[in-house]
Amino acid sequence: MAWERQTGREPVAPGHDPGAGPFLRTRTAVPALPPTFLRRGRLTRRLDAGADTPLTLVSGAAGAGKTLLAADWAARAERPVAWLTNDAGHQGSGTFWAYVLEALRTAGEPVPPEVGAPACGDRVGPLFPARLAGALCERERPVTLVLDEYDRVTDPEISAQLEFVLRHADAGLRLVLVTRNQPRLPLHRYRASGELTEIRNADLAFTPDEAAELLGLHGLELPRHATLGLVEHTRGWAAGLRLCALAARDSADPERYLKEFEAGHSAVADFLLAEVLDRQSPGTRGLLLRVSVLGDFPPELADALTGRRDAESVLAGLRRENAFVEYLGDVSYRLHPLFGEILRAHLRERLPGLEAELHRRAAGWLRRHGRLTEALRHGAAADDWEFTAEALLGDLAVGQLFTGLRSPDLAALFARMPATATDPAAELVRAAGRLARSDPGGGLAHLSHAERALPADAPAATRMSGALLRALAARLTGSPGEAATAAGDAGRLLGELPEELREEHPEVLALLRAHVGCTLLWAGHLDEARTELAAVAGGDERAATAPAREDALGHLALLDYLDGRPSAAENRALAATAVRRRFSLPSGCGSGIALVVLAAVAVERDELERAEAWLDAADGGEQAVRDPVCAGFGAATRARLLLARGRARAALDALRRPVPGVTPSPWLEAHRTVLAAAAHQAEGHRGAACALLRRVPPGPAMCAVEAAGVQYAAGFPEAALGRLDALPARGGPGPAVRVRAALLRARAAEAAGDAGTARRLVEHAVREARRERLRRPLLDTGPWIRPLLDPAPAPPPAPPVVPDLSLREREVLSGVARLMSYEEIGADLFISVNTVKTHLKNAYRKLSVNRRSDAVRRARELHLL
């Protein structure tokens, strides 16, 4: 049946729009490409590959390069491509289909006359889509139709007719839709059947290499870092890159221009405001302007800023329209960074003063919903420092200034706090900043001012923050009384803290106990210090407490060293470094005490180069806490290293360095005095050495046995042996103490003519030193020991049978040697706990042992570790 009999109208003559006169040739012509166009092979290959699917969707934001991509591909296609650019005005189905037929005719792919043509711009007859689909279905080869700017097609009837034609044309039609938004087509059906090729906004974004080529076409040759910065700023948005390139090309210094580029006053701003913002309704424009102050945000926060309740639907619609609103999953959105920057500039011009209020509202909402980090950022942006400081303290997040995980960001944020902010919360934050930089003087000044002004009914979290700062100040100044007061205050406040805050911030209690433990260690209360530090090291194992646990393990390693247990000290120090590696703690986090302990153990083993490397690492790191324990023990270890190298004068200089601390440390004074006496003795100043030895305060067993050695060398054997007799009974001192004591008694026995006793004591010392790999005590004894080290020749022992441990078994044993738990070993090696146990059992069997400690000892004897 002829078309005119169906409609009752005369068919429209070819070349005439049924609604408005002649066809506009520009709508059916493939757009020309600009001279600076960059062909991107990865995308054109995607379009080529789409030949096997009936529908191709090129969807992206305004200026994403959709049209130029499709035009380049169409112009180079082997067969003609029909092109239709849809009109911005009202377009009825009759006009739309008339232009489709005209596009096909222009491309040399006309449909048979019996299909007919629309005679009315507003509609088509009900049989037209079926006739067109039937005609296309009978074609020998498919026709390709590109519908550009399809987002301008708003009539749902057109989408329904187009889907009908596409579905029933079979292989006769390949449709390419170029659009900003989601077309009203059942894309899910085509996607599920593999009949859809998609190029989305993310695909259209320029890569850094493509951006560099594009800039080159504009005559710009920029360094790699400048190109990367531009791509990051624009998110690879094609129009943004081109407009920036055009503007930079006219600048005397393109690189500097792009670095200082102000998006709010540029051609990019004009483009986005005209193409995106001005196309929205007034309500949507207001929402976009207000959320421009946010980063990632949920719709509820947008509602809070606008006073509306429809933000979720509006944002979802903008995302579908590719209107520079990105969906991040988990019901969260963000604006394209360049679009957001332009909107903020527009907000300041159109609604001056509103930006600070929006930041203030956002800060309050975010804090109420548990997003403190973002709340602090918005509070600072609103210049509301009373809120910002109170939020940090009131949410018990002050410990994050010291854990190293977020310390740099928080320090930078509060560095902007003006001097006019003098409320108690602000002063507490200033105190925290000073103490975090190991400035106890400045920290205590701000802390005292804050505590005087803090009301008695201040929140418990704020007062707990003050207790933590007081404990840190006590640690930095070596004040055990202040530490005890802070610990008592914290204990009383714990019951007042909400349970959720205690659970959310375990680092506060861990840091406080670590500070108290370190202060007790400094004061010589070693058993109490060990109790506090062990509670931290074996406590909560979350990432937030990792810095405190590393610090506690390092100081426990120092206590092991002072007890004369170098292997135990080394294992704890290595466990501390393992915590650092596992949680990727920054270099400026902690005190560095574990490195100093490793250096001290290396000196005991005469590994002097290694010891110096550990000390240099401890001195060179930007440690967060420069407390007197680490400073004093580090200076003593440096002096011990210099003595081992025969540089007594340099050792004395190292010992003269001042050590911070209000109250002297008895064990450190004992160490420093003994080392100074040893240095004077090495220089032949016997009188000075003896004078110092008479002033040696009570200290750990290591100090006593070393003092006895210096005293013996100075010519006072009876006094030296008296010091040894005062040592704890067998089983108390560690192996390093026992080795030195045995060697000193052997020397006294040899001097008394008791060669047998001397030889037995030397043999015992050597055996114990070998187990601990101690060399320094033997080297420090002098030449008298050499004859006792040469027993009668004996037949060489048979070489030990070395078990064949696998690499994984050695790695597990190495973790055991560092006192790591099964879970820590598994996490470090990326294996399960059961696998760890299996490897350990295999190692037990091969080493013929039944315990962890025996396995580590046996593996070291066989040089497997």
Side-chain angles (χ1 to χ4, degrees):
M1 184 181 295
W3 171 254
E4 54 269 27
R5 292 198 300 272
Q6 286 285 322
T7 62
R9 299 173 185 269
E10 291 297 319
V12 178
H16 285 76
D17 179 343
F23 286 113
L24 299 175
R25 298 302 176 191
T26 53
R27 293 184 59 189
T28 57
V30 177
L33 301 175
T36 56
F37 173 77
L38 175 67
R39 178 172 296 129
R40 295 189 281 170
R42 64 181 177 89
L43 296 180
T44 55
R45 286 191 293 272
R46 292 271 293 276
L47 289 172
D48 290 337
D52 298 328
T53 60
L55 178 60
T56 296
L57 180 66
V58 182
S59 174
K66 309 178 296 296
T67 297
L68 293 182
L69 168 66
D72 175 51
W73 173 79
R76 296 185 304 105
E78 295 181 358
R79 296 177 46 245
V81 173
W83 184 282
L84 172 59
T85 300
N86 287 281
D87 190 70
H90 172 72
Q91 184 173 231
S93 59
T95 301
F96 172 80
W97 286 111
Y99 264 101
V100 168
L101 296 178
E102 177 65 12
L104 293 171
R105 188 189 67 78
T106 302
E109 303 280 0
V111 298
E114 57 268 22
V115 172
C120 174
D122 291 335
R123 62 184 181 276
V124 294
L127 296 182
F128 175 78
R131 293 188 172 201
L132 179 58
L136 293 172
C137 185
E138 294 176 359
R139 295 179 61 87
E140 294 183 1
R141 59 184 187 182
V143 59
T144 300
L145 172 63
V146 177
L147 296 180
D148 188 24
E149 299 189 33
Y150 188 73
D151 49 280
R152 297 182 182 274
V153 176
T154 58
D155 189 344
E157 183 182 14
I158 295 177
S159 294
Q161 293 167 349
L162 182 64
E163 200 278 323
F164 177 89
V165 172
L166 179 62
R167 180 155 41 95
H168 293 285
D170 198 15
L173 174 64
R174 182 196 174 187
L175 182 62
V176 180
L177 296 184
V178 182
T179 177
R180 292 187 188 183
N181 58 20
Q182 189 91 339
R184 295 181 179 179
L185 296 175
L187 297 180
H188 63 280
R189 185 185 305 158
Y190 290 96
R191 192 178 290 119
S193 61
E195 296 180 315
L196 174 64
T197 298
E198 294 183 87
I199 298 178
R200 294 282 187 174
N201 209 45
D203 304 311
L204 292 166
F206 274 65
T207 66
D209 289 339
E210 290 171 345
E213 288 188 61
L214 180 67
L215 293 173
L217 291 173
H218 287 78
L220 294 175
E221 296 294 334
L222 297 180
R224 178 72 173 177
H225 67 86
T227 303
L228 290 174
L230 182 59
V231 172
E232 176 66 22
H233 197 82
T234 61
R235 294 279 177 87
W237 178 45
L241 288 170
R242 288 190 173 94
L243 291 170
C244 288
L246 288 170
R249 187 172 61 182
D250 298 331
S251 171
D253 188 347
E255 182 179 352
R256 182 176 180 181
Y257 172 85
L258 292 174
K259 184 177 180 180
E260 300 175 355
F261 173 71
E262 294 185 13
H265 304 84
S266 66
V268 179
D270 295 339
F271 180 93
L272 284 174
L273 292 175
E275 291 292 325
V276 180
L277 189 65
D278 291 347
R279 294 177 61 170
Q280 309 302 327
S281 67
T284 301
R285 286 199 296 271
L287 183 145
L288 287 171
L289 286 172
R290 283 161 176 79
V291 300
S292 67
V293 303
L294 304 174
D296 304 347
F297 61 92
E300 295 80 6
L301 177 52
D303 284 336
L305 296 192
T306 61
R308 301 168 51 159
R309 296 184 177 180
D310 60 348
E312 185 166 6
S313 61
V314 172
L315 291 167
L318 290 169
R319 178 209 175 196
R320 286 193 299 270
E321 295 172 8
N322 285 312
F324 291 87
V325 174
E326 304 172 9
Y327 181 67
L328 305 177
D330 196 24
V331 198
S332 183
Y333 294 85
R334 72 178 172 201
L335 300 182
H336 186 288
L338 201 57
F339 190 37
E341 188 178 341
I342 291 167
L343 289 176
R344 285 191 294 276
H346 201 52
L347 174 69
R348 295 181 193 117
E349 292 177 0
R350 290 187 54 185
L351 301 168
L354 181 59
E355 185 176 10
E357 175 59 25
L358 291 172
H359 280 298
R360 199 172 289 112
R361 287 186 211 168
W365 189 95
L366 289 163
R367 187 187 179 191
R368 290 193 299 273
H369 288 78
R371 296 171 63 169
L372 180 64
T373 301
E374 297 160 88
L376 295 176
R377 188 171 63 248
H378 284 286
D383 207 26
D384 190 345
W385 293 103
E386 182 176 356
F387 166 88
T388 308
E390 193 281 325
L392 179 75
L393 302 174
D395 283 22
L396 206 60
V398 69
Q400 295 178 5
L401 278 167
F402 308 104
T403 57
L405 305 173
R406 293 193 55 243
S407 305
D409 293 339
L410 285 175
L413 186 146
F414 282 102
R416 294 154 42 197
M417 187 165 60
T420 52
T422 57
D423 59 280
E427 284 293 280
L428 280 174
V429 171
R430 285 195 182 92
R434 291 295 188 91
L435 293 172
R437 298 193 295 273
S438 294
D439 175 11
L444 282 169
H446 289 294
L447 185 56
S448 299
H449 185 277
E451 289 178 337
R452 285 195 301 270
L454 198 66
D457 60 348
T462 301
R463 287 179 282 145
M464 176 63 92
S465 300
L468 172 63
L469 299 181
R470 182 65 67 183
L472 175 54
R475 173 181 177 178
L476 294 176
T477 57
S479 305
E482 291 291 335
T485 301
D489 292 344
R492 288 188 293 273
L493 289 167
L494 271 177
E496 299 181 34
L497 287 173
E499 184 177 352
E500 60 271 16
L501 269 188
R502 295 200 305 268
E503 175 63 24
E504 187 177 355
H505 293 288
E507 73 276 3
V508 171
L509 187 57
L511 286 169
L512 189 143
R513 296 194 74 169
H515 297 333
V516 171
C518 292
T519 311
L520 289 169
L521 193 161
W522 170 261
H525 307 305
L526 304 187
D527 291 337
E528 298 172 49
R530 188 183 294 276
T531 299
E532 290 292 328
L533 295 170
V536 177
D540 192 300
E541 295 188 356
R542 281 177 281 180
T545 63
R549 284 187 288 117
E550 184 215 12
D551 200 24
L553 283 167
H555 285 83
L556 285 170
L558 173 57
L559 287 169
D560 287 331
Y561 178 85
L562 296 178
D563 283 346
R565 306 178 192 280
S567 290
E570 179 187 45
N571 289 336
R572 284 196 195 271
L574 290 175
T577 62
V579 170
R580 174 175 291 276
R581 289 197 307 274
R582 179 181 176 186
F583 292 96
S584 302
L585 299 180
S587 59
C589 175
S591 65
I593 187 65
L595 303 181
V596 179
V597 172
L598 288 172
V601 173
V603 172
E604 286 292 285
R605 292 171 176 165
D606 200 42
E607 298 169 349
L608 304 186
E609 296 297 330
R610 192 175 186 184
E612 185 170 24
W614 285 124
L615 284 174
D616 289 345
D619 291 341
E622 297 179 1
Q623 309 301 341
V625 180
R626 292 288 185 181
D627 67 350
V629 171
C630 187
F633 185 62
T637 303
R638 178 74 69 178
R640 190 181 297 277
L641 171 63
L642 292 167
L643 274 174
R645 287 177 164 166
R647 299 175 58 190
R649 178 55 52 186
L652 287 170
D653 291 340
L655 291 169
R656 292 191 185 102
R657 294 176 188 170
V659 176
V662 173
T663 306
S665 173
W667 65 267
L668 183 60
E669 288 303 307
H671 259 287
R672 290 162 63 89
T673 304
V674 170
L675 287 170
H680 283 299
Q681 179 68 22
E683 288 197 315
H685 302 152
R686 177 180 171 185
C690 292
L692 285 171
L693 290 173
R694 285 193 292 270
R695 302 202 310 266
V696 175
M702 275 287 287
C703 294
V705 74
E706 288 182 325
V710 177
Q711 207 163 17
Y712 192 101
F716 298 95
E718 293 83 3
L721 294 175
R723 284 185 185 271
L724 293 186
D725 292 338
L727 288 174
R730 179 180 173 85
V737 175
R738 296 197 298 270
V739 167
R740 281 185 165 82
L743 291 173
L744 193 53
R745 292 188 187 280
R747 184 173 184 182
E750 192 268 345
D754 188 354
T757 300
R759 186 176 294 277
R760 284 194 302 273
L761 287 169
V762 168
E763 289 175 352
H764 171 76
V766 168
R767 282 196 302 272
E768 193 144 24
R770 183 179 292 118
R771 282 196 295 270
E772 292 283 331
R773 293 186 291 150
L774 299 176
R775 299 184 185 90
R776 200 70 240 165
L778 297 169
L779 294 172
D780 289 342
T781 56
W784 67 269
I785 197 175
R786 288 176 185 167
L788 300 177
L789 292 174
D790 297 325
V801 178
V802 180
D804 185 18
L805 293 186
S806 69
L807 175 61
R808 188 62 83 188
E809 289 164 357
R810 293 190 188 195
E811 289 175 337
V812 170
L813 268 182
S814 176
V816 170
R818 298 198 299 272
L819 300 183
M820 295 171 67
S821 66
Y822 292 150
E823 290 78 6
E824 289 174 328
I825 295 172
D828 202 36
L829 300 177
F830 301 100
I831 59 178
S832 69
V833 171
N834 287 335
T835 305
V836 171
K837 293 179 179 178
T838 299
H839 286 309
L840 197 55
K841 287 179 181 178
N842 291 338
Y844 286 173
R845 176 177 50 79
K846 294 179 181 180
L847 295 170
S848 301
V849 297
N850 296 313
R851 296 187 303 176
R852 291 164 56 122
S853 58
D854 293 338
V856 172
R857 176 184 55 77
R858 180 64 176 155
R860 282 178 172 158
E861 289 175 353
L862 297 172
H863 303 292
L864 297 174
L865 287 181

